[in-house]
Amino acid sequence: MTPAGVRPASIHISSSQIDAVAAWDEIPLGANLIDAGSDVVMPGVIDTHVHVNEPGRTDWEGFFSATRAAAAGGVTTILDMPLNSIPATTSVDALQTKVSAAHDQCVVNVEYIGGVVPGNVRQLEPLADAGVRAFKCFLTPSGVDEFEHVTEKDLRLAFPVLRRLGLPLMVHAEDPREIREGPSGGSRSYADYLVSRPPSAERSAIALLVELMSEHPARVHVVHLSAAESLGAIREARVRGLPITVETCPHYLTFAAEEIPDGATEYKCAPPIRDVEERDALWAALLDGSIDSIASDHSPCPPSMKETGGDFFAAWGGIASLQLSLSAVWTGAHVRGGTIEQVAEWMCGATARLAGLADRKGRIATGYDADIVVWDPDLSFVVDPAKLLHRHRVTPYAGRTLYGVVRSTFVGGAQVFNSGLHSVNE
Ligand SMILES: [Zn+2]
């Protein structure tokens, strides 16, 4: 997968970077050759939306298990969300605590996202100076007490600062005024959960963001879009020159509300997985370029928090899919005429630009970091939770057939995952 498309090539690597992309048979004498055969050799996936949860909630997920699951899924860089770790990454002190916790545990690149919460506007510039790649805020309660959601008033303080810093604000865009309470005593009905978080919540939140951007055009990135009806407002804002981008997630592209059994809380996430038409509309928007990127929103928790006797309102909202996202996206893309080039744009190119890494990651080209995934797009597998390297195995993907088997993953030229690629000496 070269910048010019998929073609036969050899990639020369002598350090952590790519020395050259040459003709397929141009192999230097004495080189240690890894023959990928007819597999795809693609830039490693850059997943800009991962909740690692360490320190503080390491029993939910941690750097050791998350980065190994990433490597097995062809992901070479993750951006760690500022919650659900304790402390939340809303100050430089908290960031340093997290960086120390990650030390010596990670087999893929880890970058960090700072939090925007009520009252921490003075922390934004120091966090940017300390190297965070983006900021994140919630417009609706986040699910954990230590990461408070912002109001319009907080955003009016933050936007001018964010505009000056030039980093994107990733926004969980649901308007709390549009979210309805569930039945008293909870509910095992997926339909009840679905109506509690309607598409109008996203539409209203995105309208507020566009209004704020009109005054202070800070970069805004709408995370985990679940409903296509808001794309009209996003397209219009772009036509006006506003720097707004949007992602969706593998679960909105794979599952559909009609197929979710009552009580199956492994499917719970927020915003919710919607119906088949909505899924098709998201795919159409990806294929026509209206949606920029795909990120996993890997957000695990201990199984006990998912298994709530099937009550959708009591269960934790989050789906763990870091290891499966490339295969899940490819499975949906190739039946709809999507190409490997498009998958690479959604999961490597666009996410590298979002994270400010596009000068050295997201392409297989001379001088770029040798972060590479080798995968077979024609081979399928059945998801066996026992083979997932996430800390917990609860997954709505269990038993599903996915296309795209990851053979090997390289980070900075070093092989960090291998299932069946062998090197030979030339
Ligand atoms: Zn998330």
Side-chain angles (χ1 to χ4, degrees), residues 91-169:
S91 68
V92 171
D93 275 357
L95 175 65
Q96 281 161 354
T97 303
K98 184 173 274 191
V99 171
S100 308
H103 184 68
D104 268 354
Q105 293 208 73
C106 303
V107 296
V108 304
N109 305 300
V110 178
E111 301 281 350
Y112 299 93
I113 301 169
V116 175
V117 292
N120 85 326
V121 72
R122 284 209 177 82
Q123 287 291 329
L124 305 185
E125 184 161 4
L127 278 164
D129 290 344
V132 297
R133 295 266 152 206
F135 288 95
K136 167 77 179 286
C137 72
F138 277 71
L139 296 184
T140 191
S142 73
V144 294
D145 293 337
E146 67 282 347
F147 198 92
E148 225 184 306
H149 70 282
V150 292
T151 61
E152 180 177 341
K153 195 176 106 228
D154 302 310
L155 289 178
R156 284 191 183 280
L157 294 174
F159 265 51
V161 179
L162 292 166
R163 193 207 170 178
R164 185 163 49 77
L165 297 175
L167 292 178
L169 177 63

Side-chain angles (χ1 to χ4, degrees), residues 145-295:
D145 293 337
E146 67 282 347
F147 198 92
E148 225 184 306
H149 70 282
V150 292
T151 61
E152 180 177 341
K153 195 176 106 228
D154 302 310
L155 289 178
R156 284 191 183 280
L157 294 174
F159 265 51
V161 179
L162 292 166
R163 193 207 170 178
R164 185 163 49 77
L165 297 175
L167 292 178
L169 177 63
M170 298 176 167
V171 184
H172 180 124
E174 283 184 294
D175 181 341
R177 291 170 304 185
E178 296 286 326
I179 293 175
R180 295 162 210 164
E181 273 184 36
S184 60
S187 174
R188 289 173 45 86
S189 156
Y190 187 74
D192 281 350
Y193 177 60
L194 187 58
V195 297
S196 75
R197 304 188 86 117
S200 60
E202 280 187 334
R203 195 177 59 225
S204 168
I206 288 167
L208 170 65
L209 293 169
V210 170
E211 185 192 322
L212 293 170
M213 290 176 80
S214 305
E215 294 168 34
H216 297 282
R219 286 172 70 191
V220 167
H221 178 73
V222 175
V223 296
H224 51 51
L225 189 81
S226 70
E229 65 170 67
S230 295
L231 286 165
I234 292 175
R235 277 190 218 102
E236 259 173 50
R238 284 176 177 165
V239 168
R240 288 167 51 210
L242 298 180
I244 186 165
T245 53
V246 56
E247 81 190 17
T248 190
C249 307
H251 36 273
Y252 302 121
L253 298 167
T254 302
F255 305 113
E258 297 91 325
E259 298 158 7
I260 299 177
D262 284 345
T265 48
E266 64 271 26
Y267 291 86
K268 181 181 175 184
C269 56
I273 293 163
R274 304 191 190 278
D275 64 17
V276 171
E277 283 99 79
E278 204 64 78
R279 181 179 67 190
D280 290 346
L282 292 175
W283 273 111
L286 271 168
L287 291 165
D288 76 14
S290 302
I291 295 178
D292 300 274
S293 62
I294 303 175

